[in-house]
Amino acid sequence: MQSFWEKDLTHYEVAIVGAGIVGLSIAASLIEKNIKNILILDRSVIPYGASTRNAGFACYGSLTEVLSDIKTMGADNARELLFNRWMGLQITRKRLGEAGMEYESLGGYELLENQVEARLDQMDAVNQLVSDFLPGYLRDADDLKSELGIHSDGRLISIDQEAQLNPALLLRSLEQYVTENGATIRTGSHVKSLNDINDKIQIEVKDGSRKMITFSAGKVVVAVNGFAEELIGNDLVKPGRGQVFITKPIPELKFKGNLHIEEGYYYFRNVGNRLLIGGARNFDFQNEETTEIELNDKIQSHLEHKSQEIFQLGDSFAVEMRWSGIMAFGNDKTPLVQRSGNNMYLALRMGGMGVALAGTIGEEVAEMIEEDGL
Ligand SMILES: Cc1cc2nc3c(=O)[nH]c(=O)nc-3n(C[C@H](O)[C@H](O)[C@H](O)COP(=O)(O)OP(=O)(O)OC[C@H]3O[C@@H](n4cnc5c(N)ncnc54)[C@H](O)[C@@H]3O)c2cc1C
């Protein structure tokens, strides 16, 4: 049962479903366009998808990843994707400042293990493709392998402008930014359905105390990434789980920065003197196409094996925590950002780089809403 007064708490100009980095970045961009009557709903008390469960790479794409994107999307689209990631991080850093998210420019690397010569031959072309925003992007860095404690016959290249951040602090800074500027975040609010009625959207939300509560908004943005099927019921978005672990402190750890292998399917970074390792979805694609936040023992042990192979840390290597998170994918890596009906917008399918993309996606959605008018 709703009270007379609660009417003032249940209608907004814009509602955003999903309080991950993308939902919050959309709210931030709307606020910067002076649209401040915003409600953000998340089913979890702490966002429970990818934004607080990722690896915290501030990155744009490794050589093998860009080469694969060029193959599947063409050079222009691959370049645009890289630009949007780069621009997204510029927006987020400018908006929140670097200190608030522990942004550290420790650099990035890729270890080429297969088709080394063929891939190196294309490095100049990739550098050329991105030279106007990432000059001198990729460079040979094979002489740094021993300094970084990397044991491999593969070829090491460095990736300019890569950095690391703390995803939880980034999220907290974004939450603070949007709430201080007038937006309302309601957590524990599982959106069950969205219905366009009389030019506004009715939002049915499961509420622990009163079973259901109905909100309404002139415009609604669906920013639930890998969990989209429940709300929009189409097959444009496929969930993809990512596995991660972090080691106990390793006093003798030499490696600092980010390391990618094989189109980003393996990634490593230091977190102080710990190693964080993730990926290997390609090791068990079928079982990882899920929204269940659970561990996959096969992938976790494969990741441990790979880490020991590359860093050879022996008994100093001990896993402290393991976790997973849910990403969203499509046929290629282009995010799904579009209108859906008159008053609804989709901002989904961030792949493995939503941290980088969020700033750009926020701007894109806010521009659509501003253009359509409230
Ligand atoms: C293991 C892992 C490592 C990654 N590493 C990196 C990295 O280093 N760099 C990088 O750029 N990207 C990385 N990513 C990808 C990045 O984290 C995601 O692309 C990004 O967080 C997506 O943000 P989002 O806000 O779209 O989705 P999410 O963070 O998943 O947020 C969606 C939110 O919607 C909520 N929700 C879902 N359904 C409903 C509903 N019906 N009602 C209300 N709320 C709902 C969920 O609770 C969730 O909080 C990684 C991802 C994973 C899983």
Side-chain angles (χ1 to χ4, degrees), residues 16-151:
I16 298 166
V17 189
I21 179 175
V22 171
L24 293 171
S25 297
I26 294 166
S29 290
L30 286 165
I31 286 164
E32 286 156 11
K33 295 189 181 302
N34 227 14
I35 299 170
K36 299 193 175 176
N37 184 227
I38 303 171
L39 170 68
I40 305 157
L41 296 162
D42 201 290
R43 61 180 188 166
S44 294
V45 174
I46 294 175
Y48 199 50
S51 295
T52 53
R53 314 182 65 74
N54 60 54
F57 283 47
C59 62
Y60 319 106
S62 64
L63 172 61
T64 56
E65 216 175 338
V66 181
L67 290 176
S68 156
D69 291 347
I70 291 173
K71 220 179 206 172
T72 50
M73 310 162 69
D76 288 350
N77 291 331
R79 180 194 178 282
E80 191 183 327
L81 189 59
L82 223 81
F83 178 81
N84 287 341
R85 292 168 179 160
W86 174 79
M87 181 53 85
L89 277 169
Q90 305 288 321
I91 292 169
T92 302
R93 285 160 66 196
K94 185 157 173 250
R95 179 176 282 149
L96 304 175
E98 293 185 351
M101 56 176 121
E102 290 179 353
Y103 186 95
E104 264 196 292
S105 299
L106 295 179
Y109 305 89
E110 175 166 33
L111 187 62
L112 301 180
E113 292 186 319
N114 303 305
Q115 304 167 48
V116 176
E117 291 309 320
R119 284 163 159 174
L120 281 174
D121 282 351
Q122 297 176 78
M123 193 161 85
D124 282 349
V126 170
N127 274 336
Q128 194 56 40
L129 191 70
V130 300
S131 59
D132 53 335
F133 58 101
L134 286 168
Y137 190 43
L138 305 168
R139 266 194 309 262
D140 188 84
D142 213 44
D143 56 337
L144 294 179
K145 273 195 307 210
S146 82
E147 194 181 307
L148 292 167
I150 294 172
H151 300 259

Side-chain angles (χ1 to χ4, degrees), residues 135-191:
Y137 190 43
L138 305 168
R139 266 194 309 262
D140 188 84
D142 213 44
D143 56 337
L144 294 179
K145 273 195 307 210
S146 82
E147 194 181 307
L148 292 167
I150 294 172
H151 300 259
S152 167
D153 293 336
R155 185 74 159 260
L156 192 71
I157 56 178
S158 73
I159 309 173
D160 198 40
Q161 290 198 38
E162 271 208 19
Q164 318 180 330
L165 51 81
N166 178 327
L169 296 187
L170 163 57
L171 202 89
R172 197 165 68 184
S173 302
L174 261 174
E175 285 173 351
Q176 202 173 333
Y177 182 88
V178 301
T179 49
E180 279 175 358
N181 284 290
T184 301
I185 303 176
R186 300 263 179 232
T187 60
S189 303
H190 194 147
V191 176

Side-chain angles (χ1 to χ4, degrees), residues 224-229 234-242 281 285-292 325-330 349 351:
V224 299
N225 207 36
F227 307 93
E229 197 187 345
N234 69 31
D235 58 1
L236 293 173
V237 179
K238 288 199 172 57
R241 188 166 60 189
R281 222 165 36 87
F285 268 133
Q286 207 178 354
N287 283 316
E288 294 303 286
E289 195 179 305
T290 174
T291 53
E292 299 297 318
I326 307 299
M327 299 172 275
F329 298 91
R349 226 167 59 188

